Amino acid sequence: MKRIESRIDVHGAEFLANQAHNQALAADLRARQHRARHERPERDMDRLARQNKLFVRERIERLLDPGTPFLELSTLAANMAWDGEVPGAAIVSGIGIVSGREVILHADDASVKGGAWYPHSVKKIVRTLDIAIENRLPVIHLCDSAGGFLPAQSQLFADRYFAGRIFRNQSTLSKMGVPQVAIVLGHCTAGGAYVPALSDYSVITRGTGAIFLGGPPLVKAATGEEVSVEELGGADMHTRVSGVADYPAGSEIEAIAIARDIVAQWHRPAKTQIDRQEPEAPLYDPRELYGIIPRDIKVQFDMREVIARMVDGSRFHEYQPAYGTTLVCGFAHLWGFRIGILANNGVLFNDSTLKGAHFIELCNQNRTPILFLQNITGFMVGREYERNGITKDGAKMIMAVSNSEVPKFTVIVNGSYGAGNYGMSGRAFDPRFLFMWPQSQISVMGAEQAANVLSEVKIRQLQRSGQSLSAEQIAAIRDPVLADYNRESSAYYSTSELWDDGILDPPDTRNALGIALSASLGAPIAEPRYGVFRL
């Protein structure tokens, strides 16, 4: 493959200004992540110490193989919800190596409201298990939860993707033959009791671990029976009498060691074979991405410069380089894995849309995973483009994305607006993983366009009633809309609502994608089948 020749002046004023701006954004991201991961009120950490419990991060550190990478997912979930009081949605989730096996973790964070499940917690657990199903990843559950956050029960219980989906997904994994082990380190109450009960293996810590559908206060209120935690659902009762749990442990460290030994017995399934070669670092420094991404999200940049700092050897075989030039398509290797890349270099026109659909078909034909790099305002609009069938051509690309069988990965590197998000494999189109960069935005349209449209509608309504508006009155209508759109289109709002799998520091993207690619090959790749393309 031919190397991409960078045209970036890394000493130029524009590059250096961009670099300073984006490094500041990355520093802010790291600070937010550190707070979500490690900063807790002293009273909560003291409570864990009194209970002889490890902090969730210490548990994970002891569980993972030393010196191996851990791809944490949705670190900043719920960061803009619940007054910021539920960091990480009270759940830690991620992909790591345990006893030499690739696994995905779901760990309750008992330092946050006793590990209670908020609506965002449930959404994060469901997403974790969806990833396990899609990629056939074994699951380790570190259980320590006070149960559902009852004031928000209407957002926890009844609907299709609420808490019941956790247990449905666990049952689906069992049917698929994907193993699960639960380590009961605290209370598993009410619905949470089914997490260890639905796991293939269950380890429970004596003294702090407990499993019951209703705890002692509920039993007392419902039946009048007085019973202790240990009698009702402790380690000895469940491993000697009920059989709900398999292995008692005298401490958390012993429980984690038993779980590691269980995982060591699991069969290592063969990975799906795709084209692979020896990995090679990019020719260009990935940290130069800071200087490439513009300070203003409306400023265009060449996505080849991003690709050059992400793929092996900065080599890229570009497909149809002279046709449909607002969409860059081509083949590369990333950590040795061959991938197909679709990257936006502007709005999607008829030709670039057809090129994208065709390229997706080629990737499916030769079993090549696809990486979508989004910086898209949408499909082109206007009389000429509608007469040429832009809606029909856009539907072809959406059809190709929807019916693609190879693993898909999406990174929103700048803007993601309107139907362009759909054509470039947005969340609704089931990419195996979707990540964002700190400055990126996602919404039905750009904030300024939305503010102009909505304020114009309001202004016309007022003018029809005979009111004339001053510039100050127009601004009073427009500015709140603009502020709301800017807030709700930000990467931090997206990740708070779990519309993505996390915000990445741009230079870390290559490594995150390498782990995601490896994890995705636990599932087979089916033969491609497409629906009806309107020709």
Side-chain angles (χ1 to χ4, degrees):
M1 291 184 185
K2 183 179 178 182
R3 273 205 174 96
I4 295 173
E5 295 297 329
S6 178
R7 292 180 167 81
I8 294 293
D9 178 7
V10 299
H11 303 293
E14 188 68 15
F15 180 94
L16 295 174
N18 289 340
Q19 183 181 63
H21 175 80
N22 288 306
Q23 284 177 336
L25 294 181
D28 179 56
L29 170 64
R30 288 190 291 271
R32 292 177 187 235
Q33 289 175 331
H34 184 273
R35 287 195 295 271
R37 288 169 175 161
H38 300 290
E39 295 183 11
R40 298 290 183 273
E42 187 175 350
R43 67 178 184 276
D44 292 321
M45 300 305 289
D46 289 343
R47 173 174 48 81
L48 294 182
R50 288 195 305 271
Q51 296 171 342
N52 294 316
K53 289 182 176 182
L54 297 172
F55 181 46
V56 64
R57 302 278 165 180
E58 297 174 301
R59 291 168 173 173
I60 291 171
E61 183 179 357
R62 285 165 170 78
L63 179 66
L64 296 172
D65 290 358
T68 58
F70 179 59
L71 176 59
E72 186 172 343
L73 304 171
S74 299
T75 304
L76 297 177
N79 78 93
M80 294 177 70
W82 310 103
D83 298 321
E85 294 182 355
V86 191
I91 301 292
V92 180
S93 173
I95 297 170
I97 307 296
V98 175
S99 297
R101 276 79 173 168
E102 225 167 23
V103 301
I104 192 163
L105 309 180
H106 142 231
D108 299 318
D109 185 351
S111 71
V112 181
K113 311 298 182 182
W117 286 355
Y118 283 69
H120 290 73
S121 315
V122 169
K123 191 173 184 180
K124 188 168 178 178
I125 301 170
V126 170
R127 173 60 185 153
T128 300
L129 296 178
D130 280 343
I131 291 170
I133 290 169
E134 291 165 352
N135 302 287
R136 301 198 180 180
L137 279 173
V139 184
I140 301 178
H141 305 273
L142 287 83
C143 306
D144 190 355
S145 172
F149 180 65
L150 293 181
Q153 69 83 26
S154 65
Q155 303 171 60
L156 286 170
F157 177 72
D159 207 356
R160 182 179 183 184
Y161 291 101
F162 288 178
R165 195 74 175 187
I166 296 170
F167 316 124
R168 175 267 185 192
N169 278 1
Q170 283 192 266
S171 302
T172 299
L173 284 164
S174 185
K175 179 179 70 174
M176 295 168 65
V178 178
Q180 302 172 71
V181 58
I183 311 174
V184 180
L185 302 161
H187 288 188
C188 293
T189 308
Y194 290 112
V195 173
L198 287 166
S199 296
D200 302 309
Y201 303 88
S202 180
V203 185
I204 184 169
T205 306
R206 189 177 286 114
T208 54
I211 305 168
F212 29 57
L213 294 180
L218 180 59
V219 170
K220 169 75 171 173
T223 69
E225 180 183 11
E226 292 193 9
V227 61
S228 71
V229 168
E230 288 300 311
E231 291 174 315
L232 186 63
D236 289 328
M237 193 284 287
H238 276 314
T239 56
R240 295 178 180 180
V241 180
S242 74
V244 170
D246 305 315
Y247 305 88
S251 67
E252 292 199 3
I253 292 174
E254 183 185 358
I256 291 168
I258 292 170
R260 282 182 51 82
D261 197 35
I262 290 168
V263 174
Q265 315 310 313
W266 289 348
H267 171 66
R268 297 175 190 256
K271 292 270 192 179
T272 295
Q273 294 300 306
I274 64 170
D275 182 84
R276 194 173 183 191
Q277 63 185 31
E278 194 65 26
E280 182 182 358
L283 176 66
Y284 303 102
D285 188 346
R287 289 174 296 181
E288 291 175 358
L289 291 168
Y290 292 135
I292 292 167
I293 304 303
R295 304 182 299 286
D296 184 347
I297 199 166
K298 297 187 293 295
V299 173
Q300 192 64 41
F301 59 95
D302 188 354
M303 198 69 84
R304 294 175 188 84
E305 299 288 355
V306 172
I307 296 169
R309 287 153 181 85
M310 195 176 292
V311 302
D312 291 7
S314 302
R315 294 186 178 89
F316 184 58
H317 174 84
E318 188 166 350
Y319 173 72
Q320 289 190 325
Y323 178 74
T325 55
T326 59
L327 184 66
V328 176
C329 300
F331 297 102
H333 287 82
L334 192 148
W335 279 105
F337 298 106
R338 183 177 66 189
I339 58 170
I341 299 175
L342 289 88
N344 300 120
N345 253 7
V347 68
L348 287 166
F349 291 94
N350 299 76
D351 53 1
S352 48
T353 300
L354 292 172
K355 172 181 170 179
H358 190 163
F359 184 71
I360 291 167
E361 290 182 284
L362 294 178
C363 290
N364 275 267
Q365 185 183 60
N366 62 19
R367 296 165 60 85
T368 301
I370 304 173
L371 170 62
F372 294 85
L373 298 176
Q374 286 197 15
N375 180 28
I376 181 64
T377 55
F379 293 91
M380 191 61 192
V381 297
R383 181 173 61 181
E384 175 188 351
Y385 302 101
E386 294 293 356
R387 289 173 67 87
N388 288 333
I390 187 64
T391 304
K392 184 171 66 173
D393 293 340
K396 292 185 181 76
M397 189 171 179
I398 288 171
M399 181 74 75
V401 170
S402 302
N403 294 323
S404 179
E405 294 288 353
V406 297
K408 305 190 297 284
F409 309 87
T410 302
V411 182
I412 299 176
V413 305
N414 211 40
S416 178
Y417 303 113
N421 171 275
Y422 301 160
M424 291 294 292
S425 193
R427 189 66 144 183
F429 293 83
D430 295 327
R432 299 292 180 92
F433 297 88
L434 186 150
F435 301 108
M436 299 186 78
W437 285 357
Q439 85 296 339
S440 56
Q441 296 179 9
I442 178 169
S443 63
V444 70
M445 63 177 68
E448 290 191 7
Q449 296 96 310
N452 289 338
V453 168
L454 293 173
S455 58
E456 182 66 21
V457 170
K458 183 67 175 177
I459 290 165
R460 287 182 180 179
Q461 289 175 343
L462 294 172
Q463 287 175 339
R464 281 197 296 268
S465 64
Q467 299 183 49
S468 60
L469 300 175
S470 66
E472 291 78 11
Q473 290 172 314
I474 292 173
I477 294 170
R478 183 180 184 275
D479 290 351
V481 176
L482 184 62
D484 284 345
Y485 251 80
N486 280 327
R487 175 180 178 273
E488 295 181 1
S489 64
S490 73
Y492 288 104
Y493 190 87
S494 169
T495 210
S496 180
E497 295 300 310
L498 290 109
W499 297 346
D500 54 60
D501 295 310
I503 302 175
L504 298 176
D505 188 354
D508 293 339
T509 306
R510 169 180 163 82
N511 291 338
L513 289 172
I515 296 172
L517 266 163
S518 176
S520 75
L521 298 178
I525 297 174
E527 291 298 319
R529 287 188 60 191
Y530 300 100
V532 176
F533 287 94
R534 186 177 292 275
L535 302 176

